[in-house]
Amino acid sequence: MSNDALPSVLQVEEITEGRYRVEHPAEDPEARNVVFSGQILAQMIMASDHGVQGTKEVKSIHAIFARAGRYTEPMELQRETLHAGRAWGSETLTAWQGDRLLSRGLVLLNTDEPDLIRHAAGLPEVPGPEALAPDPSPSVYPETETRTIADPKTTAADGSPALHFWMRHAHSFDSLAANQAILAWCEPGLLISLSMRPHADTVSIDDAHHTVSTGVIAHTAHFHERFDVGEWLLVSQQSSYAGRGRVHGSGSVFTEDGRLVASFSQDSMVRGVEHTLDPKRSM
């Protein structure tokens, strides 16, 4: 699919220099009127790519989600350049709704260079996508199929709870940034529930936004190799820490033939509250 055919949620409209208007999905994925963190990451990547006009590619993005956005309000991004060199560049992207600052991202950009050295982590030994059934997930980019390896006893080598799922979008895109954006959109959604899994006697993801306050606070995505979201990708993630009202997790993303193409980490909130929350307004 060419860049001209990008979905509206991945198109950014520059309304003044460095200021972009972005669109929300046609449907609220969680029916809570809270803008999903993955959407903001994706749209920041697209705005950064627009700013450099393809002369560099996104190497990493680190975003902090300070306030919850609302799907009932328009959202804009402000891009500011920190550095624009020959090999590296860096920018900040700030998400606004009116005069409310929602999130700020720091984007590192680079140009492609030849290998001097090379190594990468290997693909985990898990069933391929053909051996698994499709499962719907509201936490991934629209029109993205997921197939989860649903073994509640899965752990990482260090004993941390782990989860693996395959994902594939219905289309391929010429735009490198669009591929990165769709993957980033799909990264944040399952780490909180994964962190709860060893504590089923205390908490459940069904308690989120009712009796337990949860939310993604910060997310970092690193892109190592180019990839096609229209082909199967394995997202392998683990929750390495839970405590003090916080959880931390990380993940790696592989192509079906075993290439490591991306990695990510995330800090989130999981804390008890003394009163019942309004799921359509609360974290």
Side-chain angles (χ1 to χ4, degrees), residues 2 5 8 14 24 59 61 81 92 118 140 144 147 163 196 204 219 230 244 253 279-280:
S2 69
S8 60
E14 190 167 21
H24 295 309
K59 177 60 178 168
I61 178 170
T81 300
T92 60
R118 172 176 285 270
V140 297
T144 301
R147 299 188 179 191
L163 177 70
M196 292 179 176
S204 162
H219 187 97
R244 304 174 67 193
V253 184
K280 292 190 178 295

Side-chain angles (χ1 to χ4, degrees), residues 19-41:
R19 187 84 173 193
Y20 299 89
R21 182 182 294 116
V22 295
E23 290 195 23
H24 295 309
E27 296 183 6
D28 178 347
E30 296 180 301
R32 294 200 312 115
N33 193 27
V34 176
V35 177
F36 181 53
S37 56
Q39 173 189 333
I40 297 176
L41 285 166

Side-chain angles (χ1 to χ4, degrees), residues 178-196:
N179 286 278
Q180 294 176 329
I182 290 172
L183 176 58
W185 191 310
C186 298
E187 290 175 354
L190 297 176
L191 277 169
I192 291 176
S193 60
L194 176 60
S195 299
M196 292 179 176

Side-chain angles (χ1 to χ4, degrees), residues 30 32 34-38 63-69 188-193 195-196 205 207-210 212-219 245-249 266-273 277 281-283:
E30 296 180 301
R32 294 200 312 115
V34 176
V35 177
F36 181 53
S37 56
I64 294 174
F65 307 99
R67 297 179 181 87
L190 297 176
L191 277 169
I192 291 176
S193 60
S195 299
M196 292 179 176
I205 193 61
D207 300 327
H209 320 304
H210 294 276
V212 176
S213 181
T214 68
V216 177
I217 305 302
H219 187 97
R246 310 289 183 259
V247 298
H248 177 79
Q266 181 171 298
D267 288 304
S268 305
M269 172 179 65
V270 177
R271 65 185 182 191
V273 294
L277 300 170
R281 297 182 59 86
S282 303
M283 297 289 282

Side-chain angles (χ1 to χ4, degrees), residues 16-178:
T16 60
E17 185 175 359
R19 187 84 173 193
Y20 299 89
R21 182 182 294 116
V22 295
E23 290 195 23
H24 295 309
E27 296 183 6
D28 178 347
E30 296 180 301
R32 294 200 312 115
N33 193 27
V34 176
V35 177
F36 181 53
S37 56
Q39 173 189 333
I40 297 176
L41 285 166
Q43 292 173 331
M44 285 180 171
I45 288 171
M46 298 307 296
S48 182
D49 179 67
H50 183 279
V52 298
Q53 293 294 303
T55 58
K56 294 183 178 69
E57 57 192 62
V58 173
K59 177 60 178 168
S60 66
I61 178 170
H62 175 71
I64 294 174
F65 307 99
R67 297 179 181 87
R70 306 297 180 200
Y71 281 118
T72 50
E73 301 176 29
M75 188 168 71
E76 295 181 358
L77 301 177
Q78 179 69 49
R79 181 179 59 83
E80 298 180 66
T81 300
L82 300 180
H83 171 69
R86 287 177 294 179
W88 297 93
S90 51
E91 302 180 333
T92 60
L93 277 297
T94 306
W96 295 88
Q97 285 189 322
D99 60 357
R100 293 182 68 246
L101 191 159
L102 306 180
S103 172
R104 180 162 290 154
L106 182 62
V107 177
L108 178 66
L109 303 121
N110 71 171
T111 55
D112 196 25
E113 298 190 61
D115 291 343
L116 176 60
I117 58 176
R118 172 176 285 270
H119 71 263
L123 182 74
E125 294 185 8
V126 298
E130 294 77 12
L132 304 167
D135 55 272
S137 173
S139 299
V140 297
Y141 182 82
E143 293 189 89
T144 301
E145 179 183 352
T146 59
R147 299 188 179 191
T148 303
I149 300 162
D151 181 355
K153 297 181 180 179
T154 301
T155 60
D158 62 4
S160 300
L163 177 70
H164 310 283
F165 70 90
W166 293 94
M167 57 165 280
R168 179 177 63 180
H169 192 259
H171 306 286
S172 295
F173 298 90
D174 296 338
S175 164
L176 171 61

